[in-house]
């Protein structure tokens, strides 16, 4: 009788120990999984922070700086560069200001022969010539105070050169601008220079990588994308 009672008590004790072991194991497993999830979130956060840092560093490659020592040029030129070639175009600068918001749109326009003439190595100037096929480029910076709001290069041609279209545009993210001042009340008193790493072809020489040039503002309306069709017609 006593033996059976002792046996029963022993079996209950073993069962209780098993339950405790199971509970401890379950708590350990939950704790382990929580730690792994926390580590994973930490890794994801670190990865995201590194990605944002890389993006920030990349954007820092583009900047606008004030340099009051810059002198205006009598003629604005655009220099296009490939790995083994440099060529020059004449630029015509228009600037559209808004005094209330202290914004300034700086646009340097240039033009050159149509694609088939360029392929035949005909790079004759087209300025002031009428009745000839030509292409236009509009290098455009949109400024507000000391910041660059956006950038654009607009394209227009009297022939369909851009995937069977006569107009096209693209933005560029890598640039440096030096400007003499950030007060835009009198546009004629604003000038400077710029450098651009081209994200897409400019279209004047083969494999263009960079361009640089100067600008001197006047006070005039710039050409926006919706105006480009007016520049696809022969003079």
């Amino acid at each position: 009788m006593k033996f059976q009672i002792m046996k029963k008590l022993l079996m209950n004790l073993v069962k209780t120990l098993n339950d405790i072991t199971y509970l401890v194991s379950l708590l350990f497993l939950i704790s382990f999984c929580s730690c792994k999830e926390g580590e994973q979130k930490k890794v994801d956060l670190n990865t995201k922070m590194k990605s944002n840092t890389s993006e920030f560093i990349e954007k820092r490659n583009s900047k606008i700086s004030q340099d009051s020592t810059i002198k205006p040029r009598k003629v604005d030129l655009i220099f296009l560069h490939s790995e083994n070639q440099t060529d020059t175009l004449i630029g015509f600068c228009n600037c559209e200001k808004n005094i209330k918001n202290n914004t300034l749109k700086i646009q340097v326009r240039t033009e050159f022969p149509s694609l088939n003439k360029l392929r035949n190595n005909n790079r004759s100037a087209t300025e002031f010539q009428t009745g000839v096929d030509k292409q236009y480029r509009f290098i455009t910076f949109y400024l507000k105070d000391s910041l660059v709001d956006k950038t654009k290069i607009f394209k227009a041609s009297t022939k369909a050169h851009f995937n069977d279209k006569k107009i096209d545009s693209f933005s560029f993210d890598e640039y440096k601008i030096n400007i003499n001042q950030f007060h835009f009340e009198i546009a004629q008193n604003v000038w400077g220079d710029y450098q651009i790493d081209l994200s897409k072809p400019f279209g004047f020489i083969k494999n263009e990588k960079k361009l640089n040039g100067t600008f001197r503002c006047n006070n005039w309306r710039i050409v926006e994308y919706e105006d480009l069709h007016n520049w696809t017609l022969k003079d």
Side-chain angles (χ1 to χ4, degrees):
M1 182 68 176
K2 290 182 178 180
F3 176 75
Q4 290 180 349
I5 293 173
M6 290 295 294
K7 182 179 179 181
K8 186 175 181 180
L9 289 173
L10 183 60
M11 291 179 63
N12 289 336
L13 179 60
V14 170
K15 184 176 182 301
T16 302
L17 290 174
N18 287 337
D19 291 341
I20 293 173
T21 302
Y22 173 77
L23 181 60
V24 171
S25 300
L26 181 61
L27 290 174
F28 176 77
L29 181 61
I30 293 173
S31 176
F32 177 77
C33 291
S34 298
C35 290
K36 292 298 290 182
E37 182 179 0
E39 290 177 1
Q40 182 63 41
K41 288 182 178 179
K42 186 175 181 181
V43 170
D44 292 342
L45 180 61
N46 288 338
T47 301
K48 186 176 181 180
M49 289 179 64
K50 288 180 180 179
S51 176
N52 290 340
T53 301
S54 298
E55 183 179 357
F56 176 71
I57 291 173
E58 182 178 350
K59 287 183 178 180
R60 285 180 57 190
N61 292 334
S62 299
K63 65 179 182 179
I64 180 169
S65 302
Q66 182 177 354
D67 184 353
S68 58
T69 67
I70 298 176
K71 302 298 181 183
R73 299 292 183 93
K74 293 183 178 180
V75 178
D76 288 322
L77 298 176
I78 301 170
F79 301 94
L80 284 152
H81 310 274
S82 67
E83 290 184 358
N84 53 15
Q85 184 180 0
T86 296
D87 216 327
T88 309
L89 292 166
I90 297 176
F92 300 90
C93 182
N94 287 337
C95 296
E96 185 176 334
K97 68 181 180 182
N98 183 310
I99 297 177
K100 181 179 179 180
N101 298 326
N102 196 43
T103 60
L104 186 68
K105 302 173 184 178
I106 301 172
Q107 186 171 80
V108 182
R109 172 179 61 85
T110 191
E111 62 180 74
F112 47 85
S114 60
L115 184 60
N116 59 327
K117 291 185 178 180
L118 291 178
R119 287 173 174 170
N120 291 327
N121 206 30
N122 182 351
R123 299 180 178 276
S124 301
T126 59
E127 288 83 1
F128 311 114
Q129 293 190 31
T130 61
V132 299
D133 287 311
K134 60 179 73 175
Q135 302 185 63
Y136 300 93
R137 299 292 186 270
F138 305 85
I139 304 166
T140 313
F141 299 95
Y142 298 80
L143 309 185
K144 178 173 175 57
D145 300 324
S146 60
L147 300 175
V148 179
D149 186 37
K150 63 179 178 178
T151 61
K152 287 288 184 180
I153 291 182
F154 298 125
K155 298 181 177 183
S157 176
T158 56
K159 288 191 172 183
H161 290 325
F162 319 116
N163 294 323
D164 296 325
K165 295 180 180 180
K166 291 187 175 183
I167 65 173
D168 194 11
S169 70
F170 67 91
S171 301
F172 50 91
D173 298 324
E174 300 289 331
Y175 58 84
K176 293 181 181 180
I177 307 171
N178 294 313
I179 192 168
N180 68 319
Q181 62 176 304
F182 290 124
H183 300 289
F184 307 138
E185 294 90 346
I186 304 175
Q188 290 90 338
N189 291 342
V190 180
W191 53 77
D193 57 56
Y194 58 90
Q195 302 176 43
I196 298 171
D197 290 345
L198 293 167
S199 58
K200 293 185 179 180
F202 193 78
F204 186 58
I205 62 176
K206 291 183 178 180
N207 302 318
E208 301 134 328
K209 301 295 183 182
K210 299 175 182 292
L211 68 81
N212 66 282
T214 61
F215 63 89
R216 181 173 187 175
C217 283
N218 57 18
N219 187 18
W220 200 251
R221 183 177 179 273
I222 73 164
V223 175
E224 298 284 8
Y225 183 83
E226 55 269 20
D227 305 318
L228 291 179
H229 287 290
N230 298 329
W231 295 79
T232 62
L233 307 173
K234 288 185 179 181
D235 299 329

